[in-house]
Amino acid sequence: MVGTLTGLAVVAFHELLGFINNGLFGPFVDLLLSFGRSQPAQLPMELPPLPPATTTPLQALLQVGLGGLGFLPPPLAAPEPPPLPTSSLSDWLSLWPVVVVPTLGGLVVGLLRRFGGDLGPGLPSVMAMADGSVAAKPKLPFQRLLAASLSLGSGASLGPEGPSVESGANLGLWVALRSSLSPESQKALVAAGVAAGLAAGFKAPIAGVFFALEGSFSALPGRPNVRAVLVAAVASTLVTQLVLGDTPILRLPAYEVRSPLELPLYLGLGLLASGLSWALISLLSLGRSEALQQWLRRWPAGVPTALGGAAVGLMALVFPQVLGVGYDTIEALLGSNGGLPLLTLLGLLCVKLLATGVSNATGFVGGGFAPSLVLGALLGNCYGQLLGESGLHLPVAEPPAYAMVGMAAVLAGSARAPLTALLLLFELTRDIRIVLPLMAAAGLSALLVERWKGISDPGLLGPDLQEEQRRRQLTATAVTEAFEPEAPLLLPIDLPADQALVSLVSSHGHCLMVVDGSWVVGLVTLPDLQRSITAARSAEGAAAAVGEAPAAMPCLRECRRGDLVWLPETAHLAQLEDQLSPNGLRQVPVFEVNSQGLGALPQGLPAAGLPIDSLRGLASRDGMARALARKL
């Protein structure tokens, strides 16, 4: 039921979006261009096309812009194009509807958001509702999808996947509450709605399933819950294909392979993609900052969103590819005739990034999946050109091959979902040869961004006011307020595991610090000791059965399961939450060290080491709960 309802909602969303798109950039643009003229003016399609050798913003607008976006017909070809006029001012003025349409769309969206009420909870808040942390108040997605259709249809630089996924999550919780299901089943249906929303949006059921099972919001214990996610993804994809057809949402070319020796070059692309992902996340976070949003709320209703639309429209006068979702721009970049000069691509990348941040900050409704894919395609195309004919002249694949991998790398880093990004591009290309480059670039990008920014939801699906307020509360609280009252247990590295277990149980702790001389070299948890001792006693029993001497009890040096996980004293509770959750820990040591250059989530020993005298205490889950309780 959740999959079918989500599929129908996504189908209605796409139909409404297409209707608004075609209406605004078709008859409405015709009407605007006919004002003040004796005869209805023809669209820019009849202006003489520019020579292919001279690429200008006006050429991009006429050939890749309005026509390439699919709203207006492409320009007519001419056998011998005339030379450029000395002044193109009149041509620029004739494109003023490109500014008017996003401005009017922003005004309508702003009024709808101000007077239409709340759009409903975002994905992290829906998961908190299913978990019982906050009161369950899901909302049917009519208003959210209408606002998203108006936003994207008028040219906002956002994507449709965020509204689709959050609509599925709200529908899943709504069905679960109406059915009086248990909290565990409620979480399963929310995850089913998430999978159904992404599967229907991209027509990629496998990527939808993995997105529902990946990330900080997707703790789904039990095989029945996984089955529910699978069924919902299949149902929503089937509904979408029956109504909208089985044509892929993106028509990608076959992946080109020149040599297996190119694989290390994709690691460089992953490194660049992590930086671009960091920039996108930081820009979205800046746009949703409390100070900026309070300033925007002082303006009259609809004005901030209208100004945001006007800003996007002005950018579109130079780079029309920033308008709308951008799937047509991706296809143009990946096509055989869609190549743009390197400097033009770099300019478009910067403007697209800025347009996405402006659209998100001023109140347009949409997600960041599609912009991240566009940015990744631009970055990969630039990288491929630098390696090839425009730079090092290496015998590598054509730029579209790197553009496809760049799409996955930027999406993996910005959404913290490398498996989802990998499988999404694999489903779209259906080419097994692309898997290794995708794994290399997407994995490195996600790894670096998690180390810099943490693993919390970056809001790529859209703003979630309740979750952002909770995270701000955590960020405002120092990690020192979550210290355990007991001092950390410090034991030498050569101490046998059974003796360490006795000391840890006696101290009522969950982990201990392993020291070597005056340096802290590791962290060992209670399960680590239990595993080591159980394995040692099993080996002892096997040796006794064959008459051999028993093996020695392992020491703490052999019980360490990974790198030291820790935090500097300047950290806050949001970083503590990010360190505890993925590592399965209940306690994390805190040190007084210089935190510059450590990243959001330090792990392993720094170059200078961690001396014992800099250890300040253990911050824990219980300590975090006590700190938040004191705030209440």
Side-chain angles (χ1 to χ4, degrees):
M1 182 183 296
V2 171
T4 303
L5 290 176
T6 303
L8 292 174
V10 172
V11 167
F13 173 39
H14 279 268
E15 293 291 338
L16 180 60
L17 174 57
F19 175 78
I20 294 175
N21 236 333
N22 295 328
L24 289 179
F25 285 92
F28 186 65
V29 168
D30 270 332
L31 179 64
L32 292 178
L33 289 174
S34 66
F35 284 163
R37 298 182 182 179
S38 58
Q39 295 180 354
Q42 297 298 321
L43 296 178
M45 54 172 283
E46 292 198 354
L47 290 175
L50 302 179
T54 56
T55 302
T56 65
L58 181 58
Q59 180 191 23
L61 181 60
L62 298 180
Q63 296 185 355
V64 185
L66 297 176
L69 286 171
F71 306 138
L72 298 179
L76 296 177
E80 294 184 1
L84 286 174
T86 57
S87 174
S88 59
L89 181 60
S90 60
D91 296 332
W92 287 96
L93 292 178
S94 68
L95 301 173
W96 62 274
V98 176
V99 182
V100 173
V101 172
T103 303
L104 292 179
L107 179 62
V108 175
V109 171
L111 294 175
L112 179 63
R113 298 198 66 167
R114 180 68 63 90
F115 301 110
D118 187 17
L119 298 179
L123 184 55
S125 293
V126 173
M127 290 302 298
M129 293 175 184
D131 201 30
S133 302
V134 296
K137 295 180 180 179
K139 190 170 184 179
L140 294 178
F142 301 115
Q143 185 176 342
R144 179 185 295 275
L145 295 181
L146 175 60
S149 300
L150 290 168
S151 298
L152 303 177
S154 60
S157 179
L158 296 171
E161 298 78 24
S164 300
V165 169
E166 292 181 332
S167 298
N170 277 273
L171 283 170
L173 184 57
W174 184 82
V175 171
L177 293 176
R178 295 303 182 276
S179 305
S180 301
L181 299 181
S182 64
E184 183 177 340
S185 298
Q186 291 179 21
K187 293 178 66 175
L189 285 193
V190 170
V194 170
L198 192 72
F202 278 112
K203 298 181 184 178
I206 301 177
V209 169
F210 273 81
F211 183 68
L213 302 177
E214 190 177 26
S216 58
F217 55 84
S218 56
L220 289 175
R223 293 169 60 188
N225 296 338
V226 177
R227 294 169 184 164
V229 171
L230 292 172
V231 171
V234 171
S236 66
T237 306
L238 182 61
V239 169
T240 308
Q241 290 183 351
L242 288 176
V243 180
L244 300 179
D246 58 355
T247 303
I249 196 72
L250 280 171
R251 295 181 294 272
L252 303 183
Y255 175 71
E256 182 181 359
V257 179
R258 289 283 180 90
S259 170
L261 299 178
E262 281 189 67
L263 185 59
L265 298 176
Y266 288 100
L267 293 176
L269 179 56
L271 180 62
L272 294 176
S274 65
L276 184 57
S277 301
W278 177 86
L280 176 61
I281 295 170
S282 301
L283 194 60
L284 294 179
S285 300
L286 178 63
R288 293 193 298 267
S289 62
E290 185 64 23
L292 179 59
Q293 291 302 315
Q294 284 184 355
W295 181 75
L296 291 176
R297 283 193 287 267
R298 298 173 185 170
W299 292 75
V303 172
T305 319
L307 292 177
V312 173
L314 290 173
M315 298 178 204
L317 287 177
V318 183
F319 291 104
Q321 297 91 341
V322 303
L323 287 174
V325 176
Y327 289 159
D328 296 279
T329 300
I330 294 176
E331 292 182 0
L333 290 171
L334 300 181
S336 58
N337 297 322
L340 291 175
L342 182 59
L343 292 180
T344 303
L345 286 175
L346 291 174
L348 177 57
L349 189 150
C350 297
V351 174
K352 179 66 178 180
L353 184 65
L354 179 60
T356 302
V358 170
S359 299
N360 172 77
T362 53
F364 283 103
V365 180
F369 269 53
S372 66
L373 292 176
V374 176
L375 292 171
L378 291 168
L379 177 67
N381 204 304
C382 292
Y383 187 73
Q385 289 195 32
L386 284 174
L387 294 178
E389 296 180 358
S390 299
L392 302 177
H393 299 282
L394 298 177
V396 297
E398 294 296 324
Y402 288 90
M404 287 188 284
V405 177
M407 292 165 59
V410 175
L411 178 60
S414 54
R416 315 292 205 283
L419 292 178
T420 301
L422 189 156
L423 290 169
L424 176 61
L425 266 294
F426 175 66
E427 282 192 274
L428 292 176
T429 59
R430 302 177 184 178
D431 192 339
I432 193 65
R433 298 174 298 175
I434 200 175
V435 171
L436 281 180
L438 288 179
M439 292 173 65
L444 180 60
S445 176
L447 172 67
L448 294 177
V449 175
E450 286 180 8
R451 188 64 61 90
W452 296 335
K453 302 289 289 186
I455 64 167
S456 62
D457 175 35
L460 203 65
L461 296 175
D464 185 341
L465 299 180
Q466 295 181 5
E467 174 65 12
E468 290 174 0
Q469 183 178 5
R470 186 189 73 86
R471 291 286 295 187
R472 279 196 295 269
Q473 184 181 15
L474 293 178
T475 304
T477 307
V479 70
T480 54
E481 297 192 28
F483 277 178
E484 288 289 312
E486 297 84 7
L489 181 62
L490 304 173
L491 296 178
I493 194 171
D494 55 356
L495 185 71
D498 53 355
Q499 298 182 28
L501 180 63
V502 172
S503 301
L504 186 58
V505 172
S506 301
S507 65
H508 304 286
H510 184 260
C511 67
L512 58 89
M513 308 303 300
V514 182
V515 298
D516 186 5
S518 60
W519 299 91
V520 178
V521 296
L523 180 145
V524 173
T525 64
L526 192 59
D528 293 338
L529 292 174
Q530 292 172 335
R531 283 191 295 265
S532 298
I533 294 174
T534 301
R537 290 183 175 173
S538 298
E540 181 180 350
V546 297
E548 297 180 356
M553 178 64 61
C555 62
L556 289 181
R557 184 194 309 273
E558 303 165 357
C559 296
R560 293 177 295 174
R561 309 300 296 179
D563 291 334
L564 177 63
V565 179
W566 58 283
L567 283 173
E569 194 176 22
T570 56
H572 45 70
L573 293 189
Q575 293 170 290
L576 174 62
E577 183 181 65
D578 291 343
Q579 283 285 47
L580 292 172
S581 299
N583 295 297
L585 299 174
R586 290 175 52 191
Q587 296 171 324
V588 170
V590 177
F591 292 84
E592 184 184 3
V593 295
N594 185 6
S595 59
Q596 292 183 356
L598 293 176
L601 300 178
Q603 192 167 351
L605 294 174
L610 291 171
I612 292 179
D613 55 7
S614 67
L615 179 62
R616 291 294 172 260
L618 286 175
S620 66
R621 292 183 184 274
D622 294 339
M624 184 167 62
R626 287 192 295 267
L628 295 177
R630 287 192 292 268
K631 295 284 185 179
L632 295 176

